[in-house]
Amino acid sequence: ALVLHVTGARPNFPKAAPVIAALERRGVRQLLVHTGQHYDRNMSEVFFQELGLPEPDLNLGIGSGSHAAQTAAMMTALETVFLEERPDLVVVYGDVNSTLAAALVASKLGIRVAHVEAGLRSFDWTMPEEVNRVVTDRLSDVLLVTSADALVHLAREGVDPDRLHFVGNPMIDTLLRLRDRFDGSRVVAELSLPTTYAVATLHRPGNVDDPTTLARMVTALREVGDRIDVVLPVHPRGRQQLAASGLFDHPRVHATDPLGYLEFLGLVEGSTLVVTDSGGIQEETTVLGVPCLTLRPNTERPVTITHGTNRLVTTEDLTQHVDAVLAGGGPAHGLVPPLWDGAAGERIADIVVAGLPG
Ligand code: UD1
């Protein structure tokens, strides 16, 4: 039997690593396909090295483009691969365009699809990721769920309960496995950061693509910089706009290139608070116990609010929340969500193996 994994964008890699390792331990034949959606060294290759992922068997080299152009190019290339390799199962991760492309192609070829991180919902259809989540789940045969709310969403959408598996969070497997190697010291030294600093990330289309919204974000982040030094690893999306906005002229806002996994999480672990619009970082800060202020009107990861350290904030109330954290009144380190225990990859592998032809 053959299991084929499709990855492509940065957030896929820490989710795929524990699943691939656990299947390897069970002696399952696997292929790893990289669509090439992310191709900069510090968006992709660094993660493969640090996470101990095997080299992709195939990199489709699709790269950037409009949603339609990018997704279509991935689909065409993946169809050829799936027809050649005839996998018994295609495993897809998260909510990026690579995830959707692979799920569509596999399902039309009659190949079973397993979706890792199924059932998350922001209910915000302006997010490309929400479209990817809903469609991918609809096409999936095996839905692997990280949190209980996702089970509720999928049940409400009429998914056959036999397809649902609450397995926990494989991205947290990676975090727990590598935690003692997290190291932000190079960045701290290079930027001469004081011991108290914040980490910020901003890349979501809803925040950086529209100039008016971006200007509000920039003003709010500068106000954070008036209170605490801010390190901002800058995603390629929005890099030019952010640089042109004058944000980096603030003496306490320190822009860096995108960081590798170990450096980024080292910085986060040592920080006083995080300001972000990322999905995964809401989960990572919850486990690390670092207060997280999420600059979004909604989250597909509510367990990070009910159990963890996350708060949804706006550009208007961001500084109030920062002041509260600095005064010691921020979101406390609550509970780690159920099954975010380092063993999700093992559970996923058991389910995958049980579904493979003898
Ligand atoms: C994608 C995901 C998003 C995820 C993010 C994490 C979709 C729809 N979105 O968004 O959910 O949070 O990845 O990073 O799949 N670029 C580079 N180098 C790269 C990759 C991208 O310069 O290696 C630039 C290009 O200008 C590109 C832009 O970033 O056009 C956007 O890249 P793309 O992969 O289309 O989406 P992301 O914004 O990265």
Side-chain angles (χ1 to χ4, degrees):
L2 175 65
V3 173
L4 190 153
H5 306 264
V6 178
T7 62
R10 185 171 62 180
N12 291 158
F13 309 136
K15 297 167 192 170
V19 178
I20 292 170
L23 287 169
E24 190 65 38
R25 284 190 283 276
R26 285 160 180 75
V28 174
R29 195 159 74 88
Q30 308 184 70
L31 283 178
L32 174 56
V33 176
H34 190 317
T35 62
Q37 179 175 348
H38 285 173
Y39 44 87
D40 287 357
R41 193 185 129 68
N42 56 13
M43 296 294 286
S44 177
E45 202 183 317
V46 169
F47 287 78
F48 275 74
Q49 287 163 4
E50 292 183 344
L51 305 181
L53 271 164
E55 283 276 301
D57 297 286
L58 205 63
N59 190 319
L60 305 177
I62 301 299
S64 305
S66 71
H67 283 266
Q70 185 183 58
T71 309
M74 288 173 187
M75 288 180 66
T76 308
L78 286 169
E79 187 175 55
T80 306
V81 176
F82 293 176
L83 284 171
E84 264 167 32
E85 302 293 344
R86 283 276 158 202
D88 297 285
L89 182 74
V90 168
V91 187
V92 299
Y93 298 87
D95 56 17
V96 301
N97 285 346
S98 302
T99 312
L100 173 67
L104 266 168
V105 173
S107 70
K108 293 216 173 175
L109 291 175
I111 300 168
R112 297 174 74 237
V113 177
H115 184 204
V116 173
E117 204 183 83
L120 298 188
R121 296 290 180 265
S122 67
F123 302 101
D124 177 355
W125 286 88
T126 66
M127 289 178 78
E129 294 83 0
E130 183 71 358
V131 178
N132 294 346
R133 287 179 202 115
V134 171
V135 179
T136 300
D137 285 339
R138 190 67 188 81
L139 298 172
S140 294
D141 301 280
V142 184
L143 294 99
L144 300 152
V145 165
T146 55
S147 61
D149 54 287
L151 286 175
V152 175
H153 301 146
L154 292 168
R156 196 184 295 145
E157 291 171 23
V159 177
D160 179 351
D162 291 348
R163 296 182 171 200
L164 297 181
H165 306 274
F166 183 22
V167 292
N169 192 333
M171 194 181 69
I172 302 305
D173 291 13
T174 297
L175 182 148
L176 296 174
R177 176 170 68 92
L178 295 176
R179 188 170 186 176
D180 58 8
R181 291 175 46 205
F182 292 175
D183 186 2
S185 61
R186 181 194 64 91
V187 186
V188 168
E190 215 158 83
L191 301 175
S192 308
L193 289 177
T195 47
T196 301
Y197 64 87
V199 176
T201 76
L202 198 70
H203 76 282
R204 211 151 278 295
N207 283 345
V208 302
D209 286 1
D210 170 56
T212 316
T213 310
L214 182 73
R216 286 214 314 274
M217 297 286 154
V218 167
T219 304
L221 286 174
R222 291 180 67 96
E223 286 166 4
V224 177
D226 294 340
R227 292 161 165 79
I228 182 170
D229 284 72
V230 179
V231 195
L232 184 79
V234 186
H235 189 283
R237 171 193 278 287
R239 179 163 40 201
Q240 280 174 344
Q241 298 91 303
L242 280 173
S245 73
L247 175 60
F248 308 152
D249 305 337
H250 192 292
R252 293 177 75 189
V253 176
H254 314 273
T256 72
D257 284 336
L259 301 172
Y261 182 81
L262 300 172
E263 284 199 322
F264 180 73
L265 284 171
L267 262 191
V268 167
E269 190 170 29
S271 73
T272 300
L273 65 100
V274 169
V275 180
T276 191
D277 61 4
S278 151
I281 296 171
Q282 298 171 46
E283 299 185 340
E284 290 162 337
T285 48
T286 273
V287 174
L288 293 173
V290 174
C292 181
L293 305 175
T294 297
L295 268 170
R296 284 179 43 191
N298 50 58
T299 179
E300 61 289 334
R301 293 165 162 87
V303 74
T304 60
I305 298 175
T306 54
H307 289 63
T309 59
N310 191 24
R311 291 284 179 278
L312 297 182
V313 301
T314 66
T315 49
E316 283 76 45
D317 64 15
L318 173 61
T319 50
Q320 265 166 260
H321 285 276
V322 169
D323 288 338
V325 173
L326 294 179
H333 190 181
L335 300 164
V336 172
L339 301 190
W340 292 19
D341 60 357
E346 297 295 331
R347 291 185 200 102
I348 292 171
D350 284 338
I351 291 160
V352 165
V353 168
L356 291 177

